[in-house]
Amino acid sequence: MHHLFTPIHVQLLNACYPPASALLTAGPEYAPSSHEQSRLTYYASNHPGKLAKLGSEVEKRIRTEAKKTRAGNIRARASLLISLAILRSLATECRSDVTLLAPSLVASVNVTLSSVPSDLEVVSRAASVFTAWTTYTNGRLVGADHGFTEEYLSVLQLFANLACSDNADQEIRNRYALNYCALLQRLIGPRTRLIGFAAVAGALHSEALYNNSRQFRTQVSILLRPILVTLFQTDIATIDDLTPVVKDTTASPQLGDFRTRPAVERRAASIHIHIDGDLGPSFKEVSEAALRSLFSLLSHASGPQLGNIMQSAFDNLDGMDGWVNDRHCCWLARKTTEWAQYQYRYVVPTWLVEKLMETQDASAVTPLQTTLASMVAIVFQSPIPMINLSSSDLISNLLTLLLRRASISPNDPLLPSIVVCISSLGCHIYYSDQIQDLTAEVINRLTVLEVQTILDSDNPNSQESRSASIRGLLRSLCGLLQKANEPLHHKPTGSHTKRASSLSRESTKFDGVPELATRRTRVSPEVWQDTLSLICNGDIRVRNEYARTLIYYITGEMPKHGEYTEVDGIKKVKQLNEGMQPANINRFLTSEDAGSKLLDAIHGYVFIQVTNPRLASDNPPYSGSPESPVDRATGSNNSRSSPSRRSQSSSKGLRARKASLLGRLTHATSTQDPSISLGSEDDYRNVSNILVAVQESLPIRGLLSAVPMLLQLDAEINRNAGDGDAVVRIKNIILDTWSAIAKTWDCPELTRLCSIAPLNSPEQPGVDCSQALDILVSSPSVRGSFGLSKDLLRERLSRPWSPKSALYNFPDGSNHYDPSMRGDNLSPLLKISPALMQIENMSMQSLTRSNRGLGVTDLREALEGRGAMSNPNLTRPASISTLDHSTMTNGDPALRLTLTRSRTKRNAQGDVRDVLTKLGIGKQNNNLLKASFPALSKPSPR
């Protein structure tokens, strides 16, 4: 019965309901009258201004019916189901104006779920209403309307709770049709969870999630929890089986491209709770729904959104104590990286490392730290490409973490995991000099720790912490090189070789060898030079670790240009007539080659180690700074010294301290008691392995460096009396080295000369070095490689040798130590600002070149008075200042270049004049065309 003054929209709404006496018989569908519903939706679509009133009227009814349903009123429940169906039809048919209906719709869903959270039929009907709105909304109300936003987030939380509910399903229609198996299956409520995930999927595919960036993190934090709870309750084998299905197929074609379709073309998903004869879904289907939700979220997220997802995942894992599930966390990190958009994958390891850095000061290792370290390693070790990855920042943070954990406890259980993380960075190579840059960063930390060895008086474990730090850095350094070289050792064989050419570049990018791994720049000897003094380190554990690292560098990483030629897979020493350039041989003979200088220094340190082992073990630490070595390397200073004292200490410079250390070693070698003392058995074994590795990997350079040292070492043990056991071990080292030379150069006579058993007493004669030299210079293979006559070769190999001449190798005849070996007093470990490292394909090696041309940038810097600091072409090397040079570690005071003062103060006006002159602009030359194209101008007569 209609009242006279009843509004039309209310009359149409009332007509959709059956009479009150027929409500109980309206089941099982509980649907409104189709004819009256069509009239209502037609009226609403033609009168958008009435939508808000219609929504308010339906919301009023739903609030009343939900309250009665909660009290057990069956008629009210039937009416509630019909009201929700009417609300969904209004949202579907009036999709273009659904914003007007949104406040009432979301409030109705919220009150329904709050009042009847366990009735699956009511909940599924409410979920259908919610997904209809999420399909057609533009999301602009989220964040703009505070009241609406609160209602919306409450609905999200209710559906998320349903998606991870552990309560049994409560379905009225199938309550009496269950068997025992179905009852067991419903103990964790798979139907309830699937309804919740249907609503969660609707929210994840909605513009309401992505429209407001501030509300994105809040929504994601709510939506991620049921996904993570479900996945962590599923075993890894099941997840691995479902992953290909989820990635290759979508649950609905409408959901796959929701953001590209206009609202009028979208289709809202309909949620049905009951199928006759169906015993209910399995938990595997729930896991598949969770995987689909996660894949949808990650595949649509941008860079900042992916960062919010990572933070929300961390928060949820903290709340659900998920860090103890190491395998699931590693799976999550790997799939997050893989499913994220290509250009944003770098966000995942960056956030993982930052989260790990937040816990660096923890006194005890927690499951959070160990799991995060495993997640970082699994991401770096995966073949998933991650462009824009800031490897320099990541390794700087990881090295800081390593040193910090070592300072807390030398036996910290997290140290091996951090070493694995640093090593795994070698799996991702994106520019040619990347491994060299990362190696330079590690070596720089080693240099700081080695020269800054004064102990912290407040920490009794300072010495152990320093030793653990150096050994951890060495393992990281070796692992980094090994990971970078691993792809080179996986050569396809058999059927893989036949089909390798048919594979596309895209398919091999994920499973095959990265291209840059085979074309990257090898770590140069100049960079490695600063580590050699560790051969004589005072800690035997450090010496053992460094020997293994050095041997790997020599055999697997050091550039070997001009050493070998390969024919039919067999290596042999390259001969002069097989492509060896005479200029290269001359560089080897005059020790102008960086590799030759490195080998000379190695043999100098080795000589000191075997003849003066006490000098190496009693190497005094530098005592110019009161801070602990680990704090110095990490950039933190906990000392109580005055700022002026710290400034005075840091101004001395790391290179000067390294030179002082080297000076003490060589001075003590020439002034101490010449008698030879017995060293550690490990040291003799390490020295023998190093010398053999040099001969096997670098035969030409190694021969020029080793033979003079062997002759001097043989003369030393024959001339000076010493410990008998030490003499025996040195003779065995000489024997092993000559045997390696004979094998490498294929000298049968030298092999026969060295075919003696290892010596046991000092009275036994060792290898006759003079006879070995005669055999060597008479070998055709040796003379063919050097292109020298027998006499000239003998003169070169028997030249006077001493450790000082090997360590102080000055081609220009100067009398000072140049740690960089290049003669320009510039460190090969030049620090580059992180801002410059963001430039694509930019490397430290290319930025340290001083032979670049002049341009507008140099003119601008000259006008600002900075011309002398920017381009070495504008000034002499003596006036170069490092005052304004930044470091790779974002202001780390321990790793900055020492502040120095230029010898001469340049005038800004003079710099400008120099730049203009070099550019050809000035009074002396008014022809700008000639200045711009000097190659086209006529050369001036000489």
Side-chain angles (χ1 to χ4, degrees):
M1 179 179 179
H2 300 292
H3 296 283
L4 181 61
F5 298 104
T6 302
I8 297 177
H9 67 277
V10 177
Q11 296 178 17
L12 293 174
L13 179 61
N14 292 334
C16 294
Y17 290 87
S21 59
L23 280 175
L24 293 179
T25 61
E29 298 299 333
Y30 296 104
S33 173
S34 59
H35 176 69
E36 299 300 333
Q37 182 180 355
S38 298
R39 291 181 60 195
L40 176 64
T41 55
Y42 179 79
Y43 174 82
S45 61
N46 286 279
H47 300 81
K50 297 294 184 179
L51 269 178
K53 294 183 178 181
L54 267 174
S56 298
E57 185 66 25
V58 177
E59 179 188 353
K60 186 189 305 182
R61 287 173 177 264
I62 289 177
R63 287 184 180 275
T64 302
E65 294 162 353
K67 184 177 180 180
K68 293 181 179 180
T69 303
R70 185 176 183 179
N73 192 321
I74 301 177
R75 292 179 184 271
R77 177 181 181 274
S79 180
L80 176 61
L81 291 171
I82 295 175
S83 299
L84 291 173
I86 294 173
L87 191 58
R88 183 182 187 280
S89 65
L90 288 174
T92 304
E93 298 301 328
C94 303
R95 62 191 66 178
S96 59
D97 300 308
V98 74
T99 304
L100 302 174
L101 192 64
S104 300
L105 184 147
V106 174
S108 300
V109 174
N110 188 20
V111 71
T112 300
L113 294 176
S114 301
S115 302
V116 194
S118 58
D119 191 332
L120 293 189
E121 290 184 76
V122 176
V123 170
S124 64
R125 190 69 60 91
S128 296
V129 176
F130 179 73
T131 54
W133 174 79
T134 57
T135 302
Y136 304 120
T137 184
N138 55 17
R140 294 177 182 174
L141 285 178
V142 179
D145 188 331
H146 178 71
F148 174 82
T149 304
E150 293 295 327
E151 293 275 3
Y152 171 68
L153 294 178
S154 177
V155 171
L156 283 185
Q157 187 64 62
L158 290 172
F159 279 121
N161 292 339
L162 290 175
C164 59
S165 173
D166 293 330
N167 298 327
D169 295 335
Q170 296 183 15
E171 183 186 359
I172 294 178
R173 296 177 61 177
N174 279 346
R175 180 174 297 176
Y176 305 104
L178 294 175
N179 56 22
Y180 178 73
C181 296
L183 182 62
L184 288 179
Q185 194 177 70
R186 286 178 49 191
L187 289 178
I188 57 173
R191 287 186 189 271
T192 304
R193 288 194 171 191
L194 283 179
I195 295 173
F197 272 116
V200 168
L204 291 174
H205 288 86
S206 174
E207 292 289 349
L209 177 63
Y210 300 94
N211 185 70
N212 190 297
S213 59
R214 293 185 178 181
Q215 295 297 327
F216 179 85
R217 179 177 174 181
T218 305
Q219 298 181 57
V220 166
S221 181
I222 296 173
L223 297 173
L224 262 182
R225 181 172 179 79
I227 296 175
L228 295 179
V229 168
T230 302
L231 293 179
F232 275 57
Q233 290 177 351
T234 309
D235 59 277
I236 294 295
T238 303
I239 295 177
D240 291 337
D241 294 338
L242 293 174
T243 299
V245 179
V246 171
K247 186 177 180 181
D248 297 338
T249 61
T250 58
S252 170
Q254 302 297 330
L255 296 180
D257 54 355
F258 78 101
R259 304 185 77 177
T260 60
R261 287 177 176 265
V264 294
E265 296 183 7
R266 299 176 188 173
R267 296 293 181 268
S270 181
I271 301 173
H272 301 281
I273 187 60
H274 174 69
I275 300 177
D276 292 334
D278 184 18
L279 297 179
S282 63
F283 188 76
K284 186 176 181 180
E285 297 179 56
V286 180
S287 301
E288 182 179 349
L291 278 175
R292 291 190 185 277
S293 299
L294 181 62
F295 178 73
S296 172
L297 176 63
L298 296 175
S299 59
H300 292 109
S302 62
Q305 291 169 350
L306 188 58
N308 289 330
I309 292 172
M310 293 297 299
Q311 183 60 52
S312 300
F314 294 155
D315 296 339
N316 281 288
L317 289 175
D318 290 336
M320 55 186 285
D321 197 19
W323 298 110
V324 296
N325 298 322
D326 182 84
R327 294 186 61 195
H328 285 82
C329 289
C330 291
W331 178 93
L332 178 64
R334 179 183 174 92
K335 288 305 174 184
T336 302
T337 308
E338 180 182 344
W339 288 350
Q341 297 187 57
Y342 183 78
Q343 65 272 28
Y344 302 127
R345 290 172 176 169
Y346 71 93
V347 174
V348 178
T350 302
W351 273 84
L352 290 174
V353 173
E354 289 181 358
K355 181 69 174 179
L356 193 57
M357 290 292 294
E358 293 175 1
T359 64
Q360 62 177 329
D361 295 326
S363 57
V365 177
T366 62
L368 168 65
Q369 293 174 310
T370 56
T371 302
L372 280 173
S374 300
M375 294 168 73
V376 172
I378 203 70
V379 170
F380 285 154
Q381 292 173 0
S382 67
I384 305 170
M386 290 177 285
I387 61 172
N388 298 326
L389 185 70
S390 180
S391 56
S392 60
D393 292 341
L394 290 174
I395 197 171
S396 178
N397 289 334
L398 290 173
L399 290 175
T400 302
L401 177 64
L402 174 69
L403 298 177
R404 182 57 184 162
R405 297 306 303 177
S407 66
I408 294 176
S409 173
N411 300 317
D412 191 81
L414 193 62
L415 292 178
S417 300
I418 301 175
V419 170
V420 173
C421 293
I422 298 174
S423 303
S424 301
L425 278 172
C427 298
H428 291 269
I429 304 175
Y430 299 106
Y431 63 94
S432 59
D433 289 347
Q434 179 176 342
I435 298 301
Q436 180 162 260
D437 295 345
L438 298 181
T439 302
E441 180 69 20
V442 180
I443 291 177
N444 190 36
R445 300 295 182 102
L446 276 171
T447 304
V448 173
L449 277 176
E450 184 189 4
V451 300
Q452 190 72 27
T453 58
I454 191 65
L455 304 182
D456 186 2
S457 58
D458 296 334
N459 186 4
N461 295 326
S462 294
Q463 182 64 34
E464 286 296 318
S465 297
R466 175 181 178 272
S467 175
S469 300
I470 295 179
R471 285 182 281 124
L473 291 175
L474 288 174
R475 286 192 291 267
S476 302
L477 180 60
C478 186
L480 184 67
L481 300 179
Q482 289 175 341
K483 289 294 183 181
N485 292 329
E486 268 185 3
L488 306 180
H489 302 151
H490 299 299
K491 297 181 180 180
T493 57
S495 60
H496 298 282
T497 307
K498 297 179 182 179
R499 60 186 179 94
S501 59
S502 61
L503 294 177
S504 63
R505 185 182 301 268
E506 184 68 23
S507 62
T508 57
K509 179 174 59 177
F510 218 72
D511 301 325
V513 178
E515 290 187 25
L516 281 176
T518 59
R519 297 186 288 108
R520 70 175 179 85
T521 303
R522 295 286 176 167
V523 177
S524 67
E526 293 175 317
V527 174
W528 196 268
Q529 173 78 7
D530 292 331
T531 67
L532 294 182
S533 57
L534 290 174
I535 297 176
C536 297
N537 189 271
D539 193 331
I540 181 62
R541 296 168 296 178
V542 172
R543 297 199 299 271
N544 290 339
E545 193 66 48
Y546 181 71
R548 289 189 289 268
T549 305
L550 178 61
I551 289 173
Y552 182 81
Y553 173 74
I554 294 172
T555 58
E557 179 64 24
M558 184 174 174
K560 301 175 177 62
H561 305 296
E563 293 285 354
Y564 281 106
T565 183
E566 186 170 347
V567 179
D568 296 332
I570 301 175
K571 278 187 175 183
K572 65 176 183 178
V573 183
K574 183 176 289 188
Q575 303 292 311
L576 192 61
N577 57 3
E578 294 178 350
M580 173 76 73
Q581 298 295 328
N584 293 335
I585 287 295
N586 291 333
R587 289 175 59 86
F588 296 166
L589 294 174
T590 57
S591 296
E592 295 179 0
D593 176 65
S596 300
K597 295 180 180 180
L598 180 72
L599 295 186
D600 287 344
I602 289 176
H603 287 85
Y605 281 114
V606 162
F607 185 91
I608 295 175
Q609 179 62 39
V610 297
T611 57
N612 296 275
R614 293 180 181 176
L615 174 64
S617 60
D618 297 337
N619 185 14
Y622 180 79
S623 58
S625 173
E627 57 187 341
S628 67
V630 176
D631 289 338
R632 175 72 177 173
T634 56
S636 61
N637 190 349
N638 299 325
S639 63
R640 300 178 181 177
S641 59
S642 62
S644 59
R645 184 177 180 182
R646 290 197 300 266
S647 175
Q648 181 181 5
S649 174
S650 60
S651 64
K652 294 183 178 180
L654 299 178
R655 300 289 173 163
R657 301 172 193 177
K658 194 94 171 181
S660 176
L661 170 64
L662 185 58
R664 291 197 304 270
L665 288 174
T666 54
H667 177 72
T669 303
S670 58
T671 58
Q672 283 187 349
D673 186 5
S675 62
I676 300 175
S677 58
L678 180 65
S680 170
E681 188 67 31
D682 290 339
D683 288 331
Y684 293 115
R685 182 173 58 253
N686 292 335
V687 167
S688 178
N689 293 336
I690 291 173
L691 295 180
V692 170
V694 168
Q695 296 304 318
E696 293 177 348
S697 303
L698 302 158
I700 297 179
R701 297 179 180 89
L703 193 68
L704 295 173
S705 299
V707 173
M709 190 275 292
L710 292 176
L711 295 176
Q712 180 62 32
L713 187 60
D714 183 66
E716 189 77 14
I717 61 176
N718 291 330
R719 180 176 62 254
N720 300 326
D723 188 275
D725 293 336
V727 173
V728 170
R729 285 163 175 76
I730 294 176
K731 287 184 177 181
N732 284 326
I733 291 175
I734 297 175
L735 173 62
D736 294 339
T737 308
W738 279 114
S739 299
I741 293 175
K743 181 179 178 181
T744 302
W745 290 94
D746 193 18
C747 295
E749 297 183 11
L750 186 57
T751 303
R752 287 192 294 270
L753 181 65
C754 299
S755 59
I756 58 178
L759 306 180
N760 297 320
S761 64
E763 289 77 15
Q764 291 180 270
V767 178
D768 189 344
C769 291
S770 300
Q771 185 179 356
L773 178 62
D774 293 336
I775 297 174
L776 190 64
V777 298
S778 302
S779 172
S781 60
V782 177
R783 287 186 295 169
S785 295
F786 288 96
L788 299 176
S789 64
K790 182 177 179 180
D791 295 336
L792 291 177
L793 186 58
R794 180 191 297 275
E795 180 181 355
R796 178 63 181 82
L797 295 179
S798 59
R799 72 186 190 280
W801 187 93
S802 66
K804 183 175 182 179
S805 65
L807 296 176
Y808 289 79
N809 192 351
F810 305 121
D812 56 354
S814 57
N815 57 359
H816 65 279
Y817 175 66
D818 180 11
S820 68
M821 302 189 306
R822 296 179 297 183
D824 55 5
N825 289 321
L826 294 178
S827 169
L829 306 180
L830 182 62
K831 304 300 176 298
I832 304 300
S833 172
L836 294 179
M837 295 306 297
Q838 299 298 326
I839 304 176
E840 187 175 0
N841 293 331
M842 189 66 66
S843 64
M844 289 171 57
Q845 183 178 3
S846 61
L847 289 174
T848 56
R849 303 296 188 220
S850 61
N851 57 352
R852 64 180 179 90
L854 302 179
V856 178
T857 302
D858 301 296
L859 179 58
R860 183 185 299 112
E861 293 178 349
L863 292 172
E864 296 174 358
R866 297 184 293 111
M869 298 181 185
S870 174
N871 195 332
N873 291 330
L874 300 179
T875 182
R876 296 173 297 173
S879 63
I880 292 179
S881 174
T882 59
L883 183 62
D884 289 341
H885 284 213
S886 59
T887 69
M888 284 183 64
T889 54
N890 297 329
D892 191 344
L895 302 179
R896 288 185 184 143
L897 293 176
T898 304
L899 301 182
T900 59
R901 181 176 298 175
S902 302
R903 294 183 182 179
T904 59
K905 183 176 181 180
R906 295 185 57 86
N907 188 1
Q909 184 177 1
D911 287 337
V912 175
R913 186 182 298 109
D914 291 343
V915 175
L916 293 176
T917 301
K918 291 180 179 294
L919 290 175
I921 303 175
K923 295 182 179 180
Q924 74 280 5
N925 187 359
N926 296 324
N927 189 349
L928 297 181
L929 180 63
K930 181 178 179 180
S932 301
F933 302 94
L936 300 179
S937 60
K938 184 177 179 181
S940 58
R942 296 182 179 178

